[in-house]
Every structure is written in structure tokens, then in C-alpha cells.
Amino acid sequence: MAPVLEKQLPGAAGAGDNNNEEEEGQNLWSSILSEVSTRSNSKLPSGKNILVFGEDGSGKTTLVAKLQGTDHSKKGRGLEYLYLNVHDEDRDDLTRCNVWILDGDLYHKGLLKFAVSAQSLPDCLAVFVADMSRPWTIMESLQKWASVLRDHVDKLKIPPEDMREMEQNMVKAFQEYTEPEDATPASPQRRAPTAGEDEAVVLPLGDNTLTHNLGIPVLIVCTKCDAVGVLEKEHDYREEHFDFIQSHIRRFCLQYGAGLIYTSVKEEKNLDLLYKYIVHKMYDFQFATPALVVEKDAVFIPSGWDNEKKIGILHENFTTVRPEDPFENFITKPPVRKLVHDKEINAEDEQVFLMKQQSLLAKQPATPTRGATESPGRTASGSPRPAGRAGQPTVTSGSPMAAVKKPDPNMKAGAANEGVLANFFNSLLSKKTGAPGSPGSPGAGAVGAGVQGSAKKTGQKPGLTDVQAELDRMTRKQDSMVSANNIPPPTENEA
């Protein structure tokens, strides 16, 4: 029997070795499958959505393009689609986060159905963009877009138990917020599971906290915060104005359990912080930046940090306004200044201008010249000739001064003087037959002989000086005769 047992024992030992090998093989496959399963579970989830709301011109597309790392200058219409690349450096994983930007016109709010469904709502983050360059529109814009999202969520007809669960998750995330410890700067990594962490003390919510729970995370982004300096210079904004604006925005954030961040694309302020906070809320990445409330143009308040007492610190600096005053009563819209633009005058082409003037002149009727109307008796030559001029005139009506017309008192002084001179010289140059001073009169012969004789002696024509002297002598003579004619005739008593 012993040999048989000895033969059986080696066989039994060999069967045991085979069983051990099979178990080790199964354990190896189990470990491989579990590792693959763990890796698949640790991958970044896909299908996350960011919904961006805001007014036209508030910088929605520019902000998302800057987060994307591109310069996107084109503005879409209706519902615009972009995406963010999210990289997990810890596990070397990459995914895309969908970004839906709704147009600033309420007419397009119906397009939200293509971006958000009842199944995708739990994987969404709502971003309300407020324009700090127009602070008087901030609160109205936030209320408007929050109501648009609320209406859309109600239309999805999500089961009440699912909606209640989403709202409770929001409350839990708000209550469990803790101040980040002094963390060393490191690359974004996925946060470790919190199953083994000690349970922190959960404080009850305030009266005005999460009263408008949407069931999804909400983030308020104030853009164009570089306009703070412009508001101070042009609209006389003071610290009190900016504290009042921040106070109202933070109270709105409490109602929706939202975070708040001030950004500036122009100065690239808080853009990297905004990206890190978004991926922290969407993919549970590690985030170690505390709240920032010192700088008025670089505020950052994470969801769960704020409360009524912290907001009340801003109210201590109010002097001319009360915290409960309506927003639009203190942050008023400035009056619209109408810009008067000077009309640009374009010079007309020179040739075109001349052609127009030529056509206008051609249409006008021909008007006679002044010399032709006032001096019909002027000779063709028009030059005075002393040798043939009439002799000494007498006091008769044929004298040159007798032909001078008195100026019309209604005429201008310049025109009257000109007419008198023209009539005077025309009367001197006119040659009337039978008039005194003609070549047939003896006085004229004597004067003409004297002038001609002097011309013959010198052998030259009478010069300009002789003509001027003769004219002066005749003018003096005529002045004396005019004064004699102006003596009134004797009356009957004098006669």
C-alpha cells in the first residue's frame, strides 16, 4: 500500500501546483481588469457644458476665446458654440468642455433647448456675464438672464425627486466649502476622494442664501473691469460707488449660491484664475486660491465663502447711500451726449466746377456795360486831344459843368462820384456843333492857336502835363461859374 500511496502523493502534489498556477493566473487577470476599470473611471468625463449668458457687447465671446487661448474676433448670432481643452496633467488625460454662448437678444432664448436637455442639465455650469463698463445695467441684466435660465429649467420637466437631489447637492457643496490651506503652487490635479476625510461642521444657510436654487453651479463674471479708472474720471465714481455695486452683486450671488470674479481681457486680469475655478467646479480639480476682496477691480469670491456679515463690512464705508437703497437710484445711467460730427466737405474737381460756371453764365441774359449806358456820346477813340478841344466855355447851358448831373441822394457815395466824373469827362470829349467852344468861335481859335503853336515850336505833341494843367484850369473856372449859378434869383421886394 505504501508504494501506491507514494505514487498518489506525487500526483496529488502535481495537481495542487496546477491549481496554484491557475489561481495566480486568475488573480493576474483580475488585477489587470480592475486596473483597466479604475483607469476608465478616473478618466475625465465628457459631455460637460458651460452656458454663457449676457448682454450684447459685454465681452462673452472674447472672454471664452481668451480662455481657449485664441483671438476670436468674430461674433456669432443666436447660439454660438466654442469649447475649452481640459488637460489632466496628473493622469495625462485630455477632454473637451462644451461652451454655449446665447445671444444677447431675448428673441433667441428658445435656442437653449439645443444646448441643455433634462439629461445634460446636471453636467452644466451657468455663467452670467456683467459689463463693468456699464455698471448701471448690471443688476437688471443678472435678473433677466437668471429668469431666462429658470424658465428653461422649468420647461425641461425634470422629475421632482431628481431636481430635489440636484438642489441638495448645491446646498451641500455650499455648506462644505472650506478655506484652502497654504498650498504649494502646483499643476492642476484631480482632487483625491474625500471619503476618508473628517467630517467638517456644517453651518446652516442664511435667510437669503440659495433662495433661488437652480440645481447647477452658477458663476458671475464681471468683464471690462479696466473701466474702473474711466468711471472715476468721467462719471465721478468713488469708492462708495464700487462698494455699493459689489454689495448688490454679492447679495445676488448668495441667492443663487454663485461665485463672483472680476476680469479684464484687456489687462489679462484674473483670466487664469477663472479657468482654474471653472475646471475645479466642473471636474473637481484641486483649487487653492482663497477669496480676494482687497482690490476693487480684481475681486474673487468662491461659492460658499460669502455671507451677510462679510458683505456688511462694505456697508461700513457708506456715507451718502444706504445698503437697502435701490440699485438704479444710486448707480444711475449718465445722460446721453449727442456727438455732433462735422460734415466732411469734399472739394469738387476744378474742371467740373468751371464747366458748371460756364453753363450758368451761358444761361444768363447779356447785360449792357455801364460805360455804354451812361456815356452814349463818347467817341470811339476815348482819348482827350488838347489841340482840338473847345475853347473857354461861357456860363451858358452848353458849358461842360452844365452837363454834369447832380448825384442822386439815394445812390451810394462811391457810385455817385463815379457817375459825376464819368459825365464830366464825357461832356469834355463830346463835340457838339454850334456849341460855345467850337472851332468856329474866336475864343476857341485863340486857345487852340496857342496850344498848337506851342506844339509846333517844340515839334512834339502836347504831353500829359499840358493836358493836366489845362484840365485843372478849366476845373477851377467851372467851380467859380457853378458857385455863381447857385446864387438864388432876386425876389420881388429886392427887384
Side-chain angles (χ1 to χ4, degrees):
M1 296 297 292
V4 175
L5 291 174
E6 289 177 0
K7 290 182 180 179
Q8 289 177 350
L9 288 174
D17 292 341
N18 292 335
N19 292 335
N20 292 336
E21 289 178 0
E22 289 178 0
E23 289 178 0
E24 289 178 359
Q26 290 178 358
N27 293 335
L28 178 62
W29 283 109
S30 299
S31 62
I32 292 175
L33 291 174
S34 61
E35 184 178 355
V36 171
S37 176
T38 304
R39 287 184 178 178
S40 62
N41 292 333
S42 65
K43 282 186 177 182
L44 292 174
S46 59
K48 296 283 186 178
N49 299 287
I50 300 176
L51 311 175
V52 183
F53 303 87
E55 303 295 328
D56 284 335
S58 59
K60 304 184 296 294
T61 306
T62 305
L63 177 67
V64 176
K66 203 69 177 178
L67 296 177
Q68 195 180 25
T70 60
D71 293 331
H72 188 81
S73 58
K74 296 181 180 179
K75 180 183 178 301
R77 293 289 298 172
L79 185 64
E80 190 176 0
Y81 174 78
L82 294 175
Y83 63 87
L84 297 179
N85 287 319
V86 181
H87 185 208
D88 186 358
E89 296 180 0
D90 185 29
R91 291 177 172 81
D92 194 20
D93 194 8
L94 182 68
T95 189
R96 282 186 176 181
C97 180
N98 304 315
V99 181
W100 304 91
I101 305 175
L102 186 64
D103 193 278
D105 191 353
L106 287 176
Y107 175 78
H108 302 286
K109 65 180 182 180
L111 298 175
L112 277 176
K113 62 183 179 181
F114 298 105
V116 186
S117 62
Q119 292 75 23
S120 64
L121 182 63
D123 295 325
C124 291
L125 166 70
V127 176
F128 297 136
V129 177
D131 188 356
M132 185 56 75
S133 65
R134 296 176 293 173
W136 47 89
T137 64
I138 289 179
M139 295 309 301
E140 181 183 359
S141 174
L142 292 178
Q143 297 288 354
K144 178 176 70 173
W145 294 113
S147 63
V148 168
L149 181 57
R150 176 84 265 178
D151 294 342
H152 180 71
V153 171
D154 294 341
K155 290 178 181 178
L156 294 177
K157 297 180 180 180
I158 300 175
E161 56 274 10
D162 295 343
M163 195 67 202
R164 194 178 304 111
E165 182 182 356
M166 293 170 60
E167 293 175 355
Q168 289 176 355
N169 291 336
M170 285 294 301
V171 173
K172 183 180 179 182
F174 192 92
Q175 290 177 327
E176 291 180 351
Y177 172 82
T178 55
E179 287 280 357
E181 298 178 358
D182 297 335
T184 56
S187 60
Q189 294 180 352
R190 299 198 66 192
R191 191 167 62 180
T194 59
E197 296 180 358
D198 296 335
E199 292 185 0
V201 178
V202 178
L203 299 176
L205 297 177
D207 295 336
N208 297 320
T209 305
L210 280 172
T211 55
H212 299 71
N213 195 341
L214 294 174
I216 60 174
V218 179
L219 179 61
I220 309 299
V221 179
C222 291
T223 58
K224 304 181 183 180
C225 291
D226 51 276
V228 168
V230 179
L231 294 173
E232 290 177 338
K233 293 178 182 178
E234 297 185 0
H235 303 290
D236 197 22
Y237 274 43
R238 304 181 301 276
E239 291 287 341
E240 188 176 14
H241 290 80
F242 298 111
D243 289 344
F244 186 78
I245 294 171
Q246 186 185 143
S247 170
H248 274 262
I249 297 177
R250 286 169 65 174
R251 280 186 282 181
F252 177 87
C253 291
L254 280 183
Q255 295 176 358
Y256 289 86
L260 172 64
I261 184 169
Y262 284 20
T263 63
S264 172
V265 174
K266 184 178 180 181
E267 298 178 355
E268 296 188 355
K269 186 175 294 183
N270 281 353
L271 296 180
D272 187 54
L273 180 62
L274 173 61
Y275 175 80
K276 290 180 179 179
Y277 187 70
I278 288 177
V279 296
H280 161 68
K281 298 295 290 184
M282 300 289 289
Y283 299 97
D284 203 20
F285 276 25
Q286 187 180 15
F287 187 77
T289 304
L292 307 172
V293 293
V294 177
E295 298 181 13
K296 58 187 174 184
D297 57 346
V299 176
F300 169 65
I301 298 175
S303 174
W305 177 86
D306 213 357
N307 55 42
E308 292 285 351
K309 291 183 178 180
K310 293 178 181 178
I311 298 175
I313 298 175
L314 296 174
H315 302 163
E316 297 175 358
N317 300 325
F318 290 176
T319 57
T320 60
V321 68
R322 295 176 300 176
E324 61 273 10
D325 286 348
F327 185 82
E328 60 276 4
N329 289 357
F330 189 61
I331 309 299
T332 58
K333 183 178 179 180
V336 180
R337 299 177 182 176
K338 294 182 179 180
L339 299 177
V340 179
H341 297 284
D342 294 335
K343 267 193 173 182
E344 184 179 357
I345 301 175
N346 296 324
E348 192 177 12
D349 185 68
E350 183 181 359
Q351 296 300 322
V352 175
F353 172 76
L354 293 176
M355 291 293 291
K356 287 182 179 180
Q357 298 303 319
Q358 184 181 9
S359 61
L360 290 176
L361 292 175
K363 293 178 182 179
Q364 292 179 356
T367 56
T369 60
R370 184 174 55 192
T373 57
E374 294 181 354
S375 56
R378 185 170 180 176
T379 57
S381 61
S383 60
R385 299 185 62 182
R389 195 165 46 215
Q392 285 186 349
T394 59
V395 194
T396 60
S397 62
S399 63
M401 290 302 296
V404 178
K405 297 180 180 179
K406 291 184 180 181
D408 188 358
N410 296 328
M411 294 175 61
K412 294 183 179 179
N417 294 335
E418 188 178 356
V420 170
L421 292 175
N423 293 333
F424 173 71
F425 284 108
N426 288 330
S427 63
L428 289 177
L429 296 174
S430 61
K431 295 181 179 180
K432 298 181 180 179
T433 57
S438 62
S441 60
V447 176
V451 175
Q452 290 177 0
S454 60
K456 288 179 181 179
K457 288 179 183 179
T458 57
Q460 299 176 354
K461 293 183 178 180
L464 183 60
T465 55
D466 299 332
V467 175
Q468 186 66 33
E470 183 68 11
L471 288 174
D472 292 341
R473 184 183 65 79
M474 296 181 67
T475 302
R476 289 195 296 271
K477 189 87 171 175
Q478 297 301 328
D479 289 341
S480 62
M481 288 187 292
V482 169
S483 60
N485 291 334
N486 289 337
I487 298 174
T491 60
E492 294 179 358
N493 296 331
E494 291 178 353

